[in-house]
């Protein structure tokens, strides 16, 4: 292995997914020299195996479902989806798993890319093992940023390795529709992939260990999504654990704790995530390999003055948009410290404080119906000791919902802090509600008083009039 001389940068970023790219963008905008290290594709998990391919698979399914609810259109969209066309469109959106465009973007902002596996090698020092055996040594004057993301966590089940199960990567990149698919899990990946592959023609069985789907959202979210999956022909079984799996020829067999035997062509495990920190040299700086990295609100690793952890690896909010938000905060903090700013704005909602990770995390689950939420659920608010009230609205009561779809089914909830009369959380479930959630994010993050929200007038006749119904529900109780 050949080794180059040590090269000094202001900032070294480990991981070139959307989070690492955003860190680099902010540090370069501040005039700091920046190196980015990536062992796979520039653009990361989201671009090639998560957000983009999954939504490309889901969009035709959701559009068809919406069209079937519109008079004068439903008869035209009763046939099956064109699966090869959907998969080809997915391939287009992931650039056929090539990262030329992302590399050009990095070059355009003036960041240097090092391909290979990067590891910490003591304070402010990173070694990179390149694909052709070369070894680069990078040093950081101001910061090393770990943004290596997370990977699918598989359970310790007898026979699992021989089965070659799908994880989220295989589920979003498969090139053929499996005739039968078992989905193990009840979270976002499980529900979205069950929705997509059922729409593409798979016979889908969903096995959920818990009581219902989407356990981190309000209970009604999972209930409505489960109803829709069952109506679409999926078999959803709650309170069911997989005890063993085998592959008999081309058939996967899953055995459940209740003694059921379920056969399929593929099995997807969507049962959690683990940090990609096991081979990063964390032990050379006194940290535990394979651990989540504990950070303060400026995303600086606790106990360090130069190491930052941004995105999934800090376990604050495992969402691409939230990691990009953290990247903007971290980039601003690194730039301020590099410039010698004596006092950073680290109070809640300050320029150097990732406050939304605790108070206003938005998420959209692109199932049919969509589920979208921001902030605290009712149970979370009560567990935190807040004095709260939940206001619920049947979204079919809104004129815009009826125009959007015949038989519109959905529900909205806002959780109000009674002491301050601000919103702590909002949840929408129903067709098209993903486009409503940013208004809720602004209300929660901005701590907009209920009295002022009365003056934010929703246009008629839009689904956004659900806001008026929610406020009326609060006033009338």
């Amino acid at each position: 292995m050949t080794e180059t001389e040590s090269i000094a940068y202001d900032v070294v970023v480990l991981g070139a997914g959307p989070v690492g790219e955003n860190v680099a963008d902010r540090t370069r905008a501040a005039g700091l020299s920046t190196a980015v290290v990536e062992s796979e594709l520039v653009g990361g998990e989201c671009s090639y195996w998560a957000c983009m391919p999954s939504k490309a698979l889901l969009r035709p399914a959701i559009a068809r479902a919406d069209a079937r609810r519109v008079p004068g259109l439903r008869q035209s969209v009763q046939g099956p989806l064109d699966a090869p066309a959907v998969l080809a469109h997915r391939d287009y959106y992931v650039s056929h798993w090539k990262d030329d465009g992302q590399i050009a973007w990095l070059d355009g902002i003036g960041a240097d890319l090092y391909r290979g596996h990067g590891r910490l090698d003591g304070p402010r020092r990173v070694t990179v093992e390149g694909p052709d055996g070369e070894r680069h040594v990078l040093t950081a004057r101001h910061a090393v940023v770990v943004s290596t993301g997370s990977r699918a966590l598989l359970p310790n089940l007898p026979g699992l390795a021989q089965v070659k199960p799908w994880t989220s990567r295989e589920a979003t990149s498969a090139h053929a529709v499996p005739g039968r698919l078992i989905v193990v899990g009840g979270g976002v990946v499980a529900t979205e992939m069950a929705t997509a592959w059922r729409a593409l023609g798979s016979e889908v069985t969903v096995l959920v260990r818990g009581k219902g789907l989407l356990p981190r959202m309000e209970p009604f979210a999972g209930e409505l999504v489960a109803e829709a999956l069952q109506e679409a022909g999926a078999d959803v079984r709650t309170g069911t654990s997989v005890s063993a799996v085998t592959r008999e020829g081309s058939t996967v067999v899953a055995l459940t704790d209740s003694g059921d035997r379920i056969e399929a062509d593929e099995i997807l495990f969507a049962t959690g995530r683990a940090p990609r920190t096991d081979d990063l040299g964390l032990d050379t700086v006194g940290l535990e390999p394979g651990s989540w990295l504990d950070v303060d609100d400026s995303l600086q690793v606790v106990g360090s003055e130069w190491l930052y952890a941004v995105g999934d690896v800090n376990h604050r909010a495992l969402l691409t948009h939230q990691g990009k938000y953290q990247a903007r905060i971290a980039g601003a903090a690194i730039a301020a410290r590099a410039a010698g700013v004596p006092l950073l704005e680290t109070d809640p909602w300050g320029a150097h404080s990732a406050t939304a990770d605790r108070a206003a995390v938005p998420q959209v689950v692109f199932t049919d119906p969509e589920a979208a939420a921001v902030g605290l659920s009712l149970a979370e608010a009560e567990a935190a000791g807040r004095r709260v009230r939940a206001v619920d609205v049947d979204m079919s009561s809104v004129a815009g919902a009826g125009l959007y779809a015949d038989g519109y089914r959905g529900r909205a909830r806002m959780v109000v802090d009674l002491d301050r009369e601000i919103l702590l959380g909002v949840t929408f479930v129903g067709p098209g509600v993903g486009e409503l959630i940013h208004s809720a994010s602004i209300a929660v993050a901005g701590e907009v008083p209920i009295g002022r929200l009365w003056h934010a007038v929703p246009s008629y006749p839009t689904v956004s009039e659900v806001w008026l119904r929610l406020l009326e529900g609060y006033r009338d109780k």
Side-chain angles (χ1 to χ4, degrees), residues 3 54 69 96 119 176-177 202 219 242 264 269 278 337 354-355 385 392-393 403-404 426 432 440:
E3 181 173 332
S54 66
R69 301 182 183 108
H96 300 274
R119 294 181 181 86
V177 179
S202 292
V242 177
F269 279 88
D278 50 329
R337 287 174 175 137
T355 313
D392 292 330
V393 168
L403 290 168
Y404 189 97
V426 181

Side-chain angles (χ1 to χ4, degrees), residues 149-150 273-275 277 288 290-294 312-315 318:
S150 63
R273 307 290 296 179
T277 60
E288 182 182 351
S291 65
W292 302 102
L293 297 177
D294 189 22
D312 282 11
V313 290
N314 61 40
H315 207 237
L318 277 66

Side-chain angles (χ1 to χ4, degrees), residues 14 119-126 144 146 280-289 293 301-304 306-308:
L14 292 173
R119 294 181 181 86
L120 292 166
D121 187 22
R124 303 176 187 268
R125 178 181 165 99
V126 172
V144 175
V146 178
L280 285 184
L282 293 182
D283 54 312
T284 69
V285 294
L287 298 171
E288 182 182 351
L293 297 177
V301 173
V302 173
S304 174
W306 57 271
L307 185 62
Y308 293 73

Side-chain angles (χ1 to χ4, degrees), residues 389-419:
R389 183 202 298 172
V391 180
D392 292 330
V393 168
D394 181 341
M395 293 188 64
S396 67
S397 65
V398 178
L403 290 168
Y404 189 97
D406 265 10
Y408 191 106
R409 283 186 294 174
R411 186 171 170 185
R413 168 175 286 178
M414 69 178 187
V415 178
V416 182
D417 183 323
L418 293 175
D419 294 318

Side-chain angles (χ1 to χ4, degrees), residues 11 56 124 257 285 341 344 383 409 444 460:
V11 180
R124 303 176 187 268
D257 54 357
V285 294
V341 174
L344 269 61
R409 283 186 294 174
V444 173
Y460 179 85

